[in-house]
């Protein structure tokens, strides 16, 4: 497009294309969720949650096709349903362990015999179609295990706090457990499915940088959801520093600076992956200024 208004016109056209990519992703997520009604109750899995997931990934990787982002979107949705089941449905550690056991077994190739397993099996089978999956399955399983262990650890922290059995974690411990956000495990699935052979060779390095971005996302999330976390009984970084929001903002600024440095070092060899992580960080920073992913509980 050209013309006097070419700058904003072209920019808006590209944003419209990305939103259309997200619209296709949202509809696909809603179709998938409708096929598993026991897994996705309308509250808090409302239409806006599906839309927000699809928008986040479309703006993070606007060069991908809708089909490529379909797998990534479902990986994000899997993270949300695991978070929901562990944080808000599990009443005992044995129930948390059952969620983890189911996911690890199905991801490893076992047949699925419950809604959670069937949803993950669909994702597993689509990932398995990627040319490099056979050699990368172990890394994906490892990241699933790390994510589930982090969610179980947070469940224990919350349970202990509710019963006055132990002090809450320190902020450093909390950030070391940022895998409970399930960002890196999603990124690994995205890179396995849509990445090139060169991307696959660099996955270990990409995971290291992704983990640092994930820590920043944890702080961004907590700054944006402090009130909701208080109402839902979730842990939040602000709570761990006595309600000092400014301290978490300082921690976030330091972490973002570290991410920028790592991303600059990553960009010469992995430009698209560095852009993906940068855009993911930027989108999330803007998104949480105004709203949250979760719908009404």
């Amino acid at each position: 497009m050209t013309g006097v208004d070419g700058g904003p016109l072209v920019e808006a056209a590209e944003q419209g294309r990305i939103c259309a990519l997200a619209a296709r992703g949202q509809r696909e997520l809603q179709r998938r969720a409708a096929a598993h009604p026991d897994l996705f109750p309308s509250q808090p899995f409302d239409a806006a949650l599906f839309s927000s997931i699809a928008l986040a990934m479309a703006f993070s990787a606007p060069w991908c096709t809708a089909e490529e982002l379909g797998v990534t979107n479902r990986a994000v949705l899997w993270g949300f349903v695991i978070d929901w089941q562990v944080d808000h449905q599990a009443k005992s550690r044995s129930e948390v362990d059952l969620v983890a056991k189911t996911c690890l077994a199905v991801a490893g190739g076992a047949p699925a015999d419950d809604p959670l397993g069937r949803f993950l099996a669909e994702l597993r089978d689509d990932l398995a179609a990627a040319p490099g999956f056979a050699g990368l399955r172990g890394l994906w399983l490892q990241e699933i295990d790390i994510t589930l262990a982090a969610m179980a650890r947070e469940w224990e922290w919350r349970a202990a706090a509710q019963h006055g059995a132990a002090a809450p974690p320190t902020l450093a411990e909390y950030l070391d457990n940022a895998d409970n956000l399930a960002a890196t495990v999603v990124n690994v699935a995205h890179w396995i499915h849509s990445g090139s052979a060169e991307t696959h060779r660099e996955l270990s390095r990409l995971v290291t940088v992704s983990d640092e971005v994930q820590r920043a996302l944890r702080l961004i999330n907590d700054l944006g959801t402090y009130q909701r976390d208080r109402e839902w009984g979730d842990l939040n970084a602000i709570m761990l520093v006595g309600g000092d929001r400014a301290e978490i903002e300082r921690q976030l600024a330091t972490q973002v600076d570290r991410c920028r440095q790592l991303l600059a070092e990553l960009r010469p060899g992995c430009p698209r992956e560095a852009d993906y992580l940068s855009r993911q960080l930027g989108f999330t920073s803007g998104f949480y200024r105004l709203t949250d992913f979760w719908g009404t509980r």
Side-chain angles (χ1 to χ4, degrees):
M1 293 184 182
T2 60
V4 176
D5 198 32
L9 192 156
V10 170
E11 181 180 356
E14 173 61 6
Q15 291 170 345
R17 185 193 68 81
I18 295 171
C19 289
L21 191 62
R24 290 183 62 182
Q26 177 186 353
R27 290 175 178 137
E28 174 62 16
L29 281 176
Q30 288 179 305
R31 282 193 292 269
R32 296 280 183 166
H36 303 276
D38 295 338
L39 211 54
F40 300 104
S42 59
Q43 293 181 339
F45 291 92
D46 62 4
L49 184 144
F50 299 126
S51 173
S52 298
I53 290 172
L55 281 166
M57 302 324 300
F59 273 91
S60 295
W63 48 80
C64 285
T65 66
E67 291 70 28
E68 287 172 329
L69 285 179
V71 168
T72 311
N73 290 338
R74 281 187 284 128
V76 177
L77 187 56
W78 171 80
F80 271 90
V81 76
I82 294 298
D83 183 62
W84 177 249
Q85 291 201 356
V86 170
D87 276 6
H88 302 289
Q89 291 189 312
K91 304 302 181 185
S92 66
R93 179 55 196 260
S94 62
E95 292 181 18
V96 174
D97 290 343
L98 179 60
V99 170
K101 181 180 178 181
T102 296
C103 289
L104 287 169
V106 170
D113 57 6
D114 71 323
L116 177 61
R118 286 190 288 272
F119 183 77
L120 181 56
E122 293 172 4
L123 176 62
R124 175 202 66 200
D125 292 346
D126 283 344
L127 275 178
F133 181 74
L136 298 170
R137 178 195 290 268
L139 178 61
W140 184 55
L141 286 170
Q142 176 182 305
E143 289 302 322
I144 289 176
D145 191 22
I146 290 170
T147 299
L148 292 166
M151 289 185 176
R153 191 172 298 115
E154 180 162 0
W155 186 92
E156 289 184 339
W157 285 338
R158 291 176 61 205
Q162 289 168 2
H163 295 93
T170 65
L171 180 60
E173 290 170 334
Y174 180 74
L175 288 179
D176 282 345
N177 199 53
D179 285 287
N180 72 320
L181 198 65
T184 293
V185 69
V186 167
N187 293 341
V188 167
H190 172 74
W191 288 321
I192 288 174
H193 183 254
S194 65
S196 65
E198 179 59 27
T199 301
H200 293 168
R201 285 192 290 271
E202 294 287 344
L203 266 180
S204 294
R205 184 183 180 198
L206 293 175
V207 166
T208 298
V209 181
S210 176
D211 283 346
E212 292 297 333
V213 171
Q214 185 171 239
R215 291 184 180 94
L217 297 179
R218 176 76 274 170
L219 293 171
I220 292 167
N221 178 295
D222 286 10
L223 285 165
T225 63
Y226 177 57
Q227 187 59 41
R228 190 258 290 163
D229 288 339
R230 291 182 63 189
E231 294 170 359
W232 285 21
D234 285 341
L235 287 179
N236 184 292
I238 299 174
M239 300 172 190
L240 303 179
V241 293
D244 187 353
R245 184 181 185 89
E247 173 59 23
I248 299 305
E249 290 172 343
R250 287 191 290 271
Q251 292 278 345
L252 173 59
T254 299
Q255 185 63 27
V256 169
D257 284 345
R258 173 164 175 74
C259 289
R260 282 179 173 147
Q261 178 183 347
L262 291 171
L263 289 165
E265 294 169 358
L266 180 67
R267 185 161 280 109
C270 302
R272 178 159 288 186
E273 291 73 25
D275 284 350
Y276 168 80
L277 290 170
S278 297
R279 293 178 68 91
Q280 188 178 81
L281 183 55
F283 178 90
T284 306
S285 298
F287 182 86
Y288 275 109
R289 292 176 189 173
L290 296 175
T291 192
D292 182 13
F293 281 85
W294 285 115
T296 303
R297 185 173 176 180

Coordinates of all heavy atoms in Angstrom, one line a residue, residues 101-135:
K101 N 1.6 -37.3 36.5 CA 1.8 -38.7 36.0 C 1.1 -38.9 34.6 O 1.7 -39.4 33.7 CB 1.3 -39.7 37.0 CG 1.5 -41.1 36.6 CD 0.9 -42.1 37.7 CE 1.1 -43.5 37.2 NZ 0.5 -44.4 38.3
T102 N -0.1 -38.3 34.5 CA -0.9 -38.5 33.3 C -0.2 -37.8 32.2 O 0.0 -38.3 31.1 CB -2.3 -37.9 33.5 OG1 -3.0 -38.6 34.5 CG2 -3.1 -37.9 32.2
C103 N 0.2 -36.5 32.4 CA 0.9 -35.7 31.3 C 2.2 -36.4 30.9 O 2.4 -36.4 29.7 CB 1.1 -34.3 31.8 SG -0.4 -33.4 32.0
L104 N 3.0 -36.8 31.8 CA 4.3 -37.4 31.4 C 4.1 -38.7 30.6 O 4.8 -39.0 29.7 CB 5.1 -37.6 32.6 CG 5.7 -36.3 33.2 CD1 6.3 -36.5 34.6 CD2 6.7 -35.6 32.3
A105 N 3.1 -39.5 31.1 CA 2.9 -40.8 30.4 C 2.4 -40.5 29.0 O 2.9 -41.1 28.0 CB 1.9 -41.6 31.2
V106 N 1.4 -39.6 28.8 CA 0.9 -39.4 27.5 C 1.9 -38.7 26.6 O 2.1 -39.1 25.4 CB -0.4 -38.6 27.6 CG1 -0.9 -38.1 26.2 CG2 -1.5 -39.4 28.3
A107 N 2.6 -37.8 27.1 CA 3.7 -37.1 26.3 C 4.7 -38.1 25.8 O 5.3 -38.0 24.7 CB 4.3 -36.0 27.1
G108 N 5.0 -39.1 26.7 CA 5.9 -40.1 26.3 C 5.4 -41.2 25.4 O 6.2 -42.1 24.9
G109 N 4.1 -41.1 25.0 CA 3.6 -42.0 24.0 C 2.5 -43.0 24.5 O 1.9 -43.8 23.7
A110 N 2.2 -42.9 25.8 CA 1.1 -43.8 26.3 C -0.3 -43.4 25.8 O -0.5 -42.3 25.5 CB 1.1 -43.7 27.9
P111 N -1.2 -44.4 25.7 CA -2.5 -44.1 25.3 C -3.2 -43.2 26.3 O -2.9 -43.3 27.5 CB -3.2 -45.4 25.2 CG -2.4 -46.4 26.1 CD -1.0 -45.8 26.0
A112 N -4.2 -42.4 25.9 CA -4.9 -41.5 26.8 C -6.2 -42.0 27.1 O -7.0 -42.4 26.2 CB -5.0 -40.1 26.1
D113 N -6.6 -42.0 28.4 CA -7.9 -42.5 28.7 C -8.7 -41.5 29.6 O -9.6 -41.9 30.3 CB -7.8 -43.8 29.5 CG -6.9 -43.7 30.7 OD1 -6.5 -42.6 31.1 OD2 -6.6 -44.8 31.3
D114 N -8.3 -40.2 29.6 CA -9.1 -39.2 30.3 C -9.0 -37.9 29.5 O -8.3 -37.8 28.6 CB -8.6 -39.0 31.7 CG -7.2 -38.3 31.7 OD1 -6.4 -38.6 30.8 OD2 -7.0 -37.5 32.7
P115 N -9.9 -36.9 29.8 CA -9.9 -35.7 29.0 C -8.6 -35.0 28.9 O -8.2 -34.6 27.8 CB -11.0 -34.8 29.7 CG -11.9 -35.8 30.3 CD -11.0 -36.9 30.8
L116 N -7.9 -34.9 30.0 CA -6.6 -34.2 30.0 C -5.6 -35.0 29.1 O -4.9 -34.4 28.3 CB -6.0 -34.1 31.4 CG -4.6 -33.5 31.6 CD1 -4.6 -32.1 31.1 CD2 -4.2 -33.5 33.0
G117 N -5.5 -36.3 29.2 CA -4.6 -37.1 28.4 C -5.0 -37.0 27.0 O -4.1 -36.9 26.1
R118 N -6.3 -37.0 26.6 CA -6.6 -37.0 25.2 C -6.3 -35.6 24.6 O -5.8 -35.6 23.4 CB -8.2 -37.2 25.1 CG -8.5 -38.7 25.3 CD -9.9 -39.0 24.9 NE -10.9 -38.4 25.8 CZ -11.3 -39.1 26.9 NH1 -10.9 -40.3 27.2 NH2 -12.2 -38.5 27.8
F119 N -6.4 -34.5 25.3 CA -6.1 -33.2 24.8 C -4.6 -33.1 24.5 O -4.1 -32.7 23.5 CB -6.5 -32.1 25.8 CG -6.2 -30.7 25.3 CD1 -7.0 -30.1 24.3 CD2 -5.1 -30.0 25.7 CE1 -6.8 -28.9 23.8 CE2 -4.9 -28.7 25.3 CZ -5.7 -28.1 24.3
L120 N -3.8 -33.6 25.5 CA -2.3 -33.6 25.3 C -1.9 -34.6 24.2 O -0.9 -34.3 23.5 CB -1.6 -34.0 26.6 CG -0.1 -34.0 26.6 CD1 0.4 -32.6 26.2 CD2 0.4 -34.4 28.0
A121 N -2.6 -35.7 24.1 CA -2.2 -36.7 23.0 C -2.4 -36.1 21.6 O -1.6 -36.3 20.7 CB -3.1 -37.9 23.1
E122 N -3.4 -35.2 21.4 CA -3.6 -34.5 20.2 C -2.4 -33.6 19.9 O -1.9 -33.6 18.7 CB -4.9 -33.7 20.2 CG -6.1 -34.6 20.2 CD -7.4 -33.8 20.4 OE1 -7.3 -32.5 20.4 OE2 -8.5 -34.4 20.6
L123 N -2.0 -32.9 20.9 CA -0.8 -32.0 20.7 C 0.4 -32.8 20.5 O 1.2 -32.5 19.6 CB -0.6 -31.2 22.0 CG 0.6 -30.3 22.1 CD1 0.5 -29.2 21.0 CD2 0.7 -29.6 23.5
R124 N 0.6 -33.9 21.2 CA 1.8 -34.8 21.0 C 1.9 -35.3 19.6 O 2.9 -35.3 18.9 CB 1.7 -35.9 22.0 CG 2.8 -37.0 21.8 CD 2.3 -38.3 22.5 NE 1.2 -38.9 21.8 CZ 0.3 -39.8 22.3 NH1 0.5 -40.2 23.5 NH2 -0.7 -40.3 21.6
D125 N 0.7 -35.8 19.1 CA 0.7 -36.4 17.7 C 1.0 -35.3 16.7 O 1.7 -35.6 15.7 CB -0.6 -37.0 17.5 CG -0.8 -38.3 18.4 OD1 0.1 -38.7 19.0 OD2 -2.0 -38.7 18.5
D126 N 0.5 -34.1 16.8 CA 0.9 -33.1 15.9 C 2.3 -32.7 15.9 O 3.0 -32.4 14.9 CB 0.0 -31.8 16.1 CG -1.4 -32.0 15.6 OD1 -1.6 -33.0 14.8 OD2 -2.3 -31.2 16.0
L127 N 2.9 -32.6 17.1 CA 4.3 -32.3 17.3 C 5.1 -33.5 16.7 O 6.2 -33.2 16.1 CB 4.7 -32.2 18.8 CG 4.5 -30.8 19.4 CD1 4.9 -30.9 20.9 CD2 5.3 -29.8 18.7
A128 N 4.7 -34.7 16.8 CA 5.4 -35.8 16.3 C 5.6 -35.8 14.8 O 6.5 -36.5 14.2 CB 4.7 -37.1 16.7
A129 N 4.7 -35.0 14.1 CA 4.8 -34.9 12.7 C 6.0 -34.0 12.2 O 6.3 -34.0 11.0 CB 3.5 -34.4 12.1
A130 N 6.5 -33.3 13.1 CA 7.7 -32.4 12.8 C 8.9 -33.2 12.5 O 9.2 -34.2 13.2 CB 7.9 -31.4 14.0
P131 N 9.7 -32.8 11.5 CA 10.8 -33.7 11.0 C 11.8 -33.9 12.1 O 12.4 -35.0 12.2 CB 11.4 -32.8 9.9 CG 10.3 -31.9 9.4 CD 9.4 -31.7 10.6
G132 N 12.0 -33.0 13.1 CA 13.1 -33.2 14.1 C 12.5 -33.8 15.4 O 13.3 -33.9 16.4
F133 N 11.3 -34.2 15.4 CA 10.7 -34.5 16.7 C 11.4 -35.7 17.4 O 11.6 -35.7 18.6 CB 9.2 -34.8 16.6 CG 8.5 -35.1 17.9 CD1 8.3 -34.1 18.9 CD2 8.1 -36.4 18.2 CE1 7.7 -34.4 20.1 CE2 7.5 -36.7 19.4 CZ 7.3 -35.7 20.4
A134 N 11.7 -36.7 16.6 CA 12.3 -37.9 17.2 C 13.5 -37.6 18.0 O 13.7 -38.2 19.1 CB 12.6 -38.9 16.1
G135 N 14.3 -36.7 17.6 CA 15.5 -36.3 18.3 C 15.3 -35.3 19.4 O 16.2 -35.1 20.2

